[in-house]
Protein backbone atom coordinates (compact mmCIF):
# COMPACT_ATOMS: atom_id res chain seq x y z
CA UNK A 1 0.00 0.00 0.00
CA UNK A 2 1.64 3.23 -1.17
CA UNK A 3 -0.78 5.38 0.82
CA UNK A 4 -3.41 4.89 3.51
CA UNK A 5 -6.56 4.32 1.47
CA UNK A 6 -8.85 4.55 4.52
CA UNK A 7 -7.47 8.01 5.28
CA UNK A 8 -8.04 9.03 1.64
CA UNK A 9 -11.65 7.85 1.94
CA UNK A 10 -12.13 9.90 5.13
CA UNK A 11 -10.91 13.01 3.31
CA UNK A 12 -12.99 12.28 0.22
CA UNK A 13 -16.12 11.74 2.35
CA UNK A 14 -15.74 15.11 4.05
CA UNK A 15 -15.14 16.90 0.73
CA UNK A 16 -18.35 15.35 -0.63
CA UNK A 17 -20.26 16.35 2.53
CA UNK A 18 -19.02 19.94 2.15
CA UNK A 19 -20.03 19.83 -1.55
CA UNK A 20 -16.52 20.81 -2.64
CA UNK A 21 -15.60 20.31 -6.29
CA UNK A 22 -12.36 18.36 -6.37
CA UNK A 23 -10.30 16.03 -8.52
CA UNK A 24 -8.30 13.09 -7.20
CA UNK A 25 -4.86 12.71 -8.71
CA UNK A 26 -2.18 10.12 -8.02
CA UNK A 27 1.14 11.86 -7.34
CA UNK A 28 4.26 11.57 -5.20
CA UNK A 29 3.47 7.88 -4.60
CA UNK A 30 0.22 8.89 -2.91
CA UNK A 31 -3.04 10.57 -3.75
CA UNK A 32 -3.82 14.26 -3.92
CA UNK A 33 -7.10 16.14 -3.87
CA UNK A 34 -7.09 19.12 -6.20
CA UNK A 35 -9.42 22.02 -5.45
CA UNK A 36 -9.65 24.79 -8.07
CA UNK A 37 -6.75 23.15 -9.95
CA UNK A 38 -4.48 23.38 -6.88
CA UNK A 39 -3.02 20.51 -4.89
CA UNK A 40 -4.55 21.20 -1.47
CA UNK A 41 -4.56 17.98 0.53
CA UNK A 42 -3.37 14.46 -0.02
CA UNK A 43 -2.18 11.26 1.56
CA UNK A 44 1.37 9.90 1.46
CA UNK A 45 1.84 6.64 3.31
CA UNK A 46 0.04 7.31 6.62
CA UNK A 47 0.44 11.09 6.69
CA UNK A 48 -1.59 13.99 5.39
CA UNK A 49 0.15 16.21 2.88
CA UNK A 50 -1.41 19.64 3.32
CA UNK A 51 -1.14 22.97 1.53
CA UNK A 52 -2.11 26.04 3.54
CA UNK A 53 -2.01 29.79 3.18
CA UNK A 54 1.54 30.97 3.95
CA UNK A 55 0.35 33.24 6.75
CA UNK A 56 -0.76 30.15 8.71
CA UNK A 57 2.21 27.85 8.11
CA UNK A 58 4.57 29.24 10.77
CA UNK A 59 2.06 28.90 13.61
CA UNK A 60 0.92 25.47 12.37
CA UNK A 61 4.51 24.22 12.38
CA UNK A 62 4.64 24.95 16.11
CA UNK A 63 1.88 22.40 16.72
CA UNK A 64 2.49 18.77 17.66
CA UNK A 65 2.52 16.25 14.79
CA UNK A 66 3.10 18.91 12.10
CA UNK A 67 6.31 19.12 10.09
CA UNK A 68 7.44 20.86 6.91
CA UNK A 69 7.16 18.95 3.65
CA UNK A 70 10.60 18.41 2.22
CA UNK A 71 11.09 16.44 -1.00
CA UNK A 72 14.11 18.04 -2.57
CA UNK A 73 16.10 19.11 0.49
CA UNK A 74 14.23 22.39 0.44
CA UNK A 75 11.01 22.92 2.38
CA UNK A 76 8.11 25.05 1.22
CA UNK A 77 6.32 27.53 3.45
CA UNK A 78 2.88 26.36 2.47
CA UNK A 79 3.30 22.56 2.29
CA UNK A 80 3.09 20.54 5.51
CA UNK A 81 2.95 16.93 6.64
CA UNK A 82 0.56 15.98 9.43
CA UNK A 83 1.41 12.81 11.34
CA UNK A 84 -1.41 10.33 12.16
CA UNK A 85 -1.66 11.44 15.79
CA UNK A 86 -2.60 14.90 14.51
CA UNK A 87 -5.78 13.72 12.76
CA UNK A 88 -6.92 10.76 14.86
CA UNK A 89 -10.32 12.31 15.60
CA UNK A 90 -12.82 13.47 13.01
CA UNK A 91 -12.67 16.98 14.51
CA UNK A 92 -8.91 17.12 13.97
CA UNK A 93 -9.19 15.79 10.42
CA UNK A 94 -11.93 18.28 9.50
CA UNK A 95 -9.76 21.16 10.70
CA UNK A 96 -6.95 20.17 8.31
CA UNK A 97 -9.38 19.66 5.44
CA UNK A 98 -10.92 23.08 6.06
CA UNK A 99 -7.46 24.68 5.92
CA UNK A 100 -6.88 22.90 2.59
CA UNK A 101 -10.24 24.11 1.25
CA UNK A 102 -9.29 27.63 2.30
CA UNK A 103 -6.09 27.37 0.26
CA UNK A 104 -8.07 26.01 -2.70
CA UNK A 105 -10.44 28.96 -2.55
CA UNK A 106 -7.95 31.77 -1.80
CA UNK A 107 -4.42 30.54 -2.47
CA UNK A 108 -2.27 31.51 -5.39
CA UNK A 109 0.13 29.12 -7.04
CA UNK A 110 3.40 30.58 -8.22
CA UNK A 111 4.34 29.35 -11.64
CA UNK A 112 7.85 29.21 -12.99
CA UNK A 113 8.51 31.52 -15.88
CA UNK A 114 9.39 29.74 -19.09
CA UNK A 115 12.80 30.51 -20.49
CA UNK A 116 12.75 32.41 -23.78
CA UNK A 117 14.52 30.64 -26.57
Amino acid sequence: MAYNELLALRIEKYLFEMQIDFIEKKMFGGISFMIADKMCIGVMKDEIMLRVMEEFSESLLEENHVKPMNFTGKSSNSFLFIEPEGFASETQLKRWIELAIDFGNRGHVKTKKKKKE
Side-chain angles (χ1 to χ4, degrees), residues 79-102:
F79 284 98
L80 308 173
F81 276 129
I82 315 303
E83 298 169 337
E85 298 84 1
F87 55 84
S89 75
E90 290 305 306
T91 301
Q92 290 171 306
L93 179 63
K94 287 177 182 181
R95 175 179 175 240
W96 299 121
I97 296 170
E98 288 168 0
L99 285 165
I101 292 169
D102 181 49

Side-chain angles (χ1 to χ4, degrees), residues 65-84:
H65 315 297
V66 179
K67 59 187 179 182
M69 187 171 109
N70 183 339
F71 275 134
T72 60
K74 182 178 163 188
S75 60
S76 168
N77 288 340
S78 62
F79 284 98
L80 308 173
F81 276 129
I82 315 303
E83 298 169 337

Side-chain angles (χ1 to χ4, degrees), residues 53-69:
M53 300 298 293
E54 281 193 36
E55 64 257 26
F56 301 135
S57 63
E58 194 172 313
S59 64
L60 291 171
L61 282 167
E62 293 175 6
E63 294 185 24
N64 291 331
H65 315 297
V66 179
K67 59 187 179 182
M69 187 171 109

Side-chain angles (χ1 to χ4, degrees), residues 4 17 20 24 29 35 44-46 48 52 65 73 77 79-80 90 93 98 105 108 110 113:
N4 184 324
E17 287 174 5
I20 302 297
E24 290 181 38
I35 300 170
M44 288 190 61
K45 298 183 182 175
D46 287 322
I48 289 177
V52 297
H65 315 297
N77 288 340
F79 284 98
L80 308 173
E90 290 305 306
L93 179 63
E98 288 168 0
N105 290 332
H108 298 284
K110 296 175 188 171
K113 292 181 181 179

